[in-house]
Amino acid sequence: MRVRRFGGECYRVGGMTSGMSKASGRNRVPWALRGMIAASVVVPLLVLAGGSWVAWRDTVAAADVDLRGDLAVASEQTARVLDSHVLLGGRVNDLLGNLTDEEVVAREQELHDRLVAMIGGYGQITAVVVTGKDGSALVGSSRYPADHRIKFSDRGYFIALRDGTAPIEIGGIVVGRLTHEPLFSVAIRRGNDPKHFAGVIMVGVAPSYFTNFDRAMFAGDPNFSAGVLRADGTLLAAYPQTVPTDEATATDRKLAEAVQHTPDGMMRGQSALDGSDQLIAYRKLATYPVIVTVGRRWNSVVGEWRDLLATHLVFGIPATLCLLMLSLLATRQWRRQHDTLAQLQDEVARRELAEEALRQSVKMEAVGRLTGGIAHDFNNHLTVINSNIELLQRRLPPNSEALVRLTEAAMSGVQRAATLTHRLLAFSRQQPLDPEPLDVGRLVSDMSDLLRRTLGESIAIETVLAGGLWQTKVDANQLENVLLNLAVNARDAMPNGGKLTIETANTHLDDAYAASHAEVTTGQYVLLAVTDTGTGMTPEVINKAFEPFFTTKPLGQGTGLGLSMVYGFVKQSGGHVAIYSEAGHGSTIKVYLPRFVRVETRPATGSDTAKPHPRGTGETILVVEDDEEVRRSSVEALRELGYEVLEAGDAMHGVRLIVDRGPIDLLFTDVGLPGGVNGRALADAAQSAQPGLRVLFTTGYTRNAILHNGVLDHGVQFIAKPFTLTALAAKIREVLDMPANAAAVEGVAAPGAG
């Protein structure tokens, strides 16, 4: 038994009231209100504190992730640059062979020209210098002739190579004695005998190359920094500041010590150049004694957090004031409890209806898959039944109301069965593409609930829909299937849960992109991107992802046709699809659909608006149908309509009738015919024998024989099974009354395409 008292009155909740007095109720009210007023202040402060901590944690985590991503790019670039320098040094060593110092000097001009040619494609290389074993310059790419009096025997890299056994050594940043420019050296030993020191080959590296690369990577943002250091902490290149040439003042000992314990990590410390407090990600290269760092000023991270917190305060302070006002009106809120409860009940009822609709959708999808194979025969049977019932209705004697009711009931059953068949075919996706102008953003919004229920609670779904999104012209049902397919693939890539992001945007694929993708046409596109935080794909998997039957799932858990179907549909719709993924970091599938610009057309006038008469005037029609019962009922129906009818059970018999019988007015043929010659091939042969012949196709199971990329070929006349006698009469009359050039079949497909 619970009792609530507001304003000195007692209200019963879930049972009978207790014996509280009005005085006691009045005593409780102020304390309750005071508690609500205090809560309206304290709770927002707690929420703000908790939100601030969460925002700080997320801001630091995001900065950590961004820095690690930038570090991966910078490390890869640095390793490639050093690889090219070592490779170049090796080529120079091969060029020198076993030449002595005197022989090198004697061939200095030839070697100088060769060195200049070798470094022509390397913008980051300042010079290549070859020294003798005493450190004197023998030949260099920067000048000819070289000043042989200049010696490099005091350089750290020379001493290390002379006294040690390491094949390469990286020197600190200095001003070049031949180039007079800041550089650091990648030096290798001359010759191939590790026991005999013959001198060094020095490849000068311009630190400005790394500075420019980092500036482009960070878009010139001074809050970010990057550096290349030797393993002992000596700075070689940096961004945004330049490294002084005095290597004694450009050393980061703290970072070098950290690398000894953790070769790849994150730390917070002071910049060796400007002393600013930074969050630094570092990595020691596996193949070189070089450390690559990427940093961000700590005050910029704090500033980002403050900006985020300020946006919360903009809404939080008014919300707190609103809570104070609401707490003062708390005595009136109980009146709305029943309304709130009713709204909750309505919401529960709506969710139950939505879940039931989802279950029904899944069931119908399964039924559609099972019925696709039998749809053709079922439609043939319905055609026979429908035609015979209509013929029977025409021949009923007058005043036979009972028979009329029976035939009408039978016809109603046929129509319901035909409607069911068409619905099942639509679910089984066996219909040709029906492109229409479409708002992709609205389609994504409409599918949100279905996707959430399909993917489950462990997958968080976020949609980022662009405003002013262009329209595209595609088959909406097939695009829904594509989106659902991609979402299910993403779910399978996130077995432990994750986040799925669906984005739409207007985009333009330019000439540069089209040049690198032969199948892409330059122009405006509507972008639909599906991103997951799953296991990702390796480059090898990406290269084969669109191949039919290729799958990375265990045996029995995937057909390998999902992405193949997506690829085929997008290409069929004139679009482009691309995969962006990295193993362990999720995947993004980007679908580009051509922009559709609606063109106003004038309404048809004249004879096009006139309805053709349903009966015939003695025209000759050839009916080609392999199902005997369907053929018999069609022939009987056409004769009933006043046409002269010829019939054939296959394509070859039909061709012979055309040749032997002479001109006919219309060929009415099924698409699927036995004997290896389908209805489309028959129509081509018949029109070759009788140019201008009108053709009407029929089928209960659409095949590619009368389709072009899944869309009905232009100029093709078609009636789907099962058809009514009225519909057949109208369609026959429509085709016969068309001009001969308009009724001829266009968009010829290859024989046997069905």
Side-chain angles (χ1 to χ4, degrees):
M1 178 174 59
R2 296 176 298 150
V3 177
R4 294 182 183 174
R5 291 182 179 269
F6 297 103
E9 295 183 2
C10 180
Y11 296 89
R12 184 169 53 192
V13 181
M16 57 183 294
T17 61
S18 66
M20 283 188 176
S21 67
K22 293 184 179 181
S24 64
R26 284 194 297 268
N27 290 334
R28 291 188 59 187
V29 169
W31 284 107
L33 289 177
R34 290 176 184 177
M36 294 179 65
I37 294 173
S40 65
V41 176
V42 173
V43 171
L45 289 177
L46 293 177
V47 171
L48 177 62
S52 300
W53 180 83
V54 172
W56 174 253
R57 183 193 61 185
D58 293 344
T59 301
V60 174
D64 184 288
V65 171
D66 291 343
L67 288 179
R68 290 185 184 276
D70 294 335
L71 177 64
V73 174
S75 299
E76 179 67 19
Q77 176 66 13
T78 303
R80 290 183 179 179
V81 170
L82 294 178
D83 286 342
S84 64
H85 287 65
V86 172
L87 179 62
L88 177 63
R91 292 174 56 194
V92 173
N93 193 38
D94 294 339
L95 174 65
L96 296 176
N98 295 321
L99 295 177
T100 64
D101 294 354
E102 293 76 12
E103 291 172 336
V104 171
V105 173
R107 297 174 55 184
E108 182 179 359
Q109 182 173 3
E110 174 194 349
L111 294 175
H112 166 78
D113 295 339
R114 293 289 298 275
L115 293 179
V116 171
M118 291 172 70
I119 68 173
Y122 298 92
Q124 70 274 22
I125 297 178
T126 60
V128 177
V129 178
V130 179
T131 74
K133 61 183 178 180
D134 61 349
S136 59
L138 301 180
V139 62
S141 62
S142 58
R143 65 169 63 177
Y144 173 79
D147 187 349
H148 303 302
R149 296 172 299 175
I150 296 177
K151 290 192 176 183
F152 297 89
S153 57
D154 60 333
R155 297 294 198 195
Y157 59 83
F158 185 92
I159 297 172
L161 291 176
R162 183 191 62 193
D163 299 340
T165 59
I168 66 172
E169 186 69 25
I170 298 178
I173 184 168
V174 295
V175 175
R177 291 174 175 170
L178 294 180
T179 63
H180 303 292
E181 296 178 359
L183 58 85
F184 68 88
S185 304
V186 177
I188 68 172
R189 296 170 62 95
R190 276 184 58 193
N192 298 316
D193 186 359
K195 297 181 180 180
H196 175 68
F197 179 74
V200 301
I201 300 171
M202 181 196 71
V203 181
V205 185
S208 59
Y209 174 82
F210 295 95
T211 303
N212 294 334
F213 176 84
D214 295 332
R215 180 178 293 108
M217 181 171 66
F218 297 124
D221 191 342
N223 288 318
F224 288 86
S225 64
V228 179
L229 303 86
R230 291 195 316 196
D232 60 358
T234 301
L235 273 170
L236 303 178
Y239 166 84
Q241 299 86 0
T242 58
V243 181
T245 56
D246 183 4
E247 58 184 69
T249 62
T251 304
D252 194 334
R253 302 295 184 187
K254 184 177 179 181
L255 178 63
E257 294 175 359
V259 170
Q260 293 179 357
H261 296 89
T262 307
D264 190 341
M266 182 78 66
M267 63 177 290
R268 180 181 170 188
Q270 292 183 338
S271 170
L273 289 177
D274 61 4
S276 61
D277 190 10
Q278 295 190 356
L279 183 64
I280 302 172
Y282 61 86
R283 177 179 297 171
K284 183 179 183 300
L285 300 183
T287 53
Y288 298 102
V290 170
I291 305 169
V292 180
T293 68
V294 173
R296 180 179 176 183
R297 292 181 183 269
W298 186 252
N299 58 10
S300 73
V301 178
V302 177
E304 181 179 343
W305 170 72
R306 282 200 303 262
D307 294 341
L308 181 61
L309 192 59
T311 60
H312 293 307
L313 289 175
V314 168
F315 297 99
I317 293 176
T320 301
L321 295 177
C322 290
L323 285 174
L324 284 170
M325 296 177 62
L326 290 174
S327 64
L328 297 176
L329 301 175
T331 56
R332 302 179 184 179
Q333 295 306 310
W334 68 271
R335 299 179 184 271
R336 302 179 183 178
Q337 291 181 357
H338 297 290
D339 294 338
T340 303
L341 180 59
Q343 292 175 1
L344 290 175
Q345 292 173 342
D346 291 342
E347 180 64 21
V348 171
R350 284 195 294 269
R351 290 191 178 187
E352 289 178 349
L353 290 176
E355 292 174 357
E356 178 62 27
L358 177 62
R359 288 192 291 269
Q360 184 69 10
S361 175
V362 173
K363 181 177 69 176
M364 292 304 293
E365 180 70 19
V367 172
R369 294 174 183 175
L370 293 174
T371 57
I374 64 172
H376 179 264
D377 291 338
F378 190 45
N379 279 328
N380 279 341
H381 297 326
L382 288 177
T383 301
V384 174
I385 298 172
N386 186 84
S387 298
N388 283 282
I389 292 176
E390 287 198 280
L391 292 174
L392 179 61
Q393 287 177 329
R394 287 172 174 265
R395 299 176 183 178
L396 287 176
N399 302 323
S400 55
E401 296 180 359
L403 294 178
V404 170
R405 286 195 300 272
L406 292 175
T407 56
E408 287 178 349
M411 182 61 71
S412 177
V414 170
Q415 291 173 352
R416 288 195 299 270
T419 301
L420 176 61
T421 303
H422 285 302
R423 289 177 179 175
L424 295 177
L425 282 173
F427 275 109
S428 63
R429 301 297 189 263
Q430 301 297 341
Q431 301 292 342
L433 291 182
D434 184 17
E436 59 182 353
L438 181 67
D439 184 340
V440 178
R442 178 173 297 178
L443 181 142
V444 173
S445 297
D446 293 343
M447 290 188 65
S448 295
D449 289 341
L450 175 62
L451 291 175
R452 286 186 172 88
R453 289 172 173 81
T454 301
L455 302 185
E457 297 180 354
S458 63
I459 306 296
I461 301 178
E462 179 181 358
T463 57
V464 183
L465 306 181
L469 191 66
W470 296 328
Q471 283 192 328
T472 184
K473 189 173 183 181
V474 294
D475 190 308
N477 289 333
Q478 292 293 343
L479 186 58
E480 288 178 359
N481 192 28
V482 165
L483 181 55
L484 187 60
N485 201 340
L486 294 178
V488 171
N489 277 358
R491 179 197 65 189
D492 295 341
M494 298 182 287
N496 298 321
K499 181 178 180 181
L500 178 72
T501 304
I502 303 174
E503 300 179 68
T504 62
N506 298 328
T507 187
H508 179 271
L509 298 183
D510 55 18
D511 294 334
Y513 189 87
S516 59
H517 299 79
E519 78 284 1
V520 175
T521 302
T522 302
Q524 295 176 326
Y525 289 83
V526 177
L527 170 64
L528 174 63
V530 179
T531 302
D532 64 69
T533 58
T535 56
M537 291 182 272
T538 63
E540 294 76 12
V541 173
I542 293 176
N543 291 335
K544 297 182 178 181
F546 291 130
E547 295 181 5
F549 306 109
F550 175 78
T551 179
T552 59
K553 299 177 183 177
L555 184 64
Q557 295 186 16
T559 62
L561 293 176
L563 287 178
S564 299
M565 294 169 62
V566 172
Y567 180 86
F569 165 73
V570 174
K571 293 302 177 184
Q572 186 176 349
S573 301
H576 171 61
V577 59
I579 299 177
Y580 301 90
S581 181
E582 183 179 349
H585 294 81
S587 303
T588 297
I589 310 296
K590 291 188 175 181
V591 175
Y592 299 87
L593 299 172
R595 179 186 182 184
F596 171 71
V597 180
R598 189 182 299 274
V599 179
E600 296 294 334
T601 58
R602 296 181 179 178
T605 59
S607 60
D608 292 339
T609 61
K611 296 182 180 179
H613 194 275
R615 292 193 58 82
T617 57
E619 293 92 337
T620 301
I621 299 176
L622 172 59
V623 177
V624 183
E625 170 63 61
D626 60 305
D627 189 296
E628 183 177 355
E629 293 183 357
V630 177
R631 185 174 69 252
R632 185 186 303 115
S633 61
S634 299
V635 169
E636 188 69 22
L638 291 173
R639 286 174 178 166
E640 181 75 15
L641 293 172
Y643 297 102
E644 181 180 348
V645 184
L646 304 175
E647 58 179 300
D650 55 45
M652 300 307 297
H653 187 196
V655 172
R656 286 196 297 270
L657 283 176
I658 294 174
V659 174
D660 298 341
R661 172 66 169 74
I664 62 175
D665 296 292
L666 184 141
L667 171 62
F668 180 41
T669 177
D670 192 5
V671 176
L673 294 174
V677 181
N678 58 27
R680 182 60 206 246
L682 168 62
D684 293 341
Q687 289 184 327
S688 297
Q690 184 180 329
L693 174 65
R694 295 167 174 81
V695 179
L696 177 61
F697 292 101
T698 183
T699 186
Y701 187 72
T702 305
R703 300 289 188 179
N704 288 333
I706 58 171
L707 301 179
H708 182 68
N709 289 333
V711 181
L712 203 65
D713 288 340
H714 179 64
V716 169
Q717 302 300 320
F718 172 75
I719 184 171
K721 296 179 182 178
F723 45 78
T724 64
L725 186 59
T726 302
L728 179 62
K731 191 65 179 180
I732 290 287
R733 191 70 264 163
E734 175 189 346
V735 177
L736 286 173
D737 291 343
M738 292 174 62
N741 58 348
V745 178
E746 301 178 16
V748 176

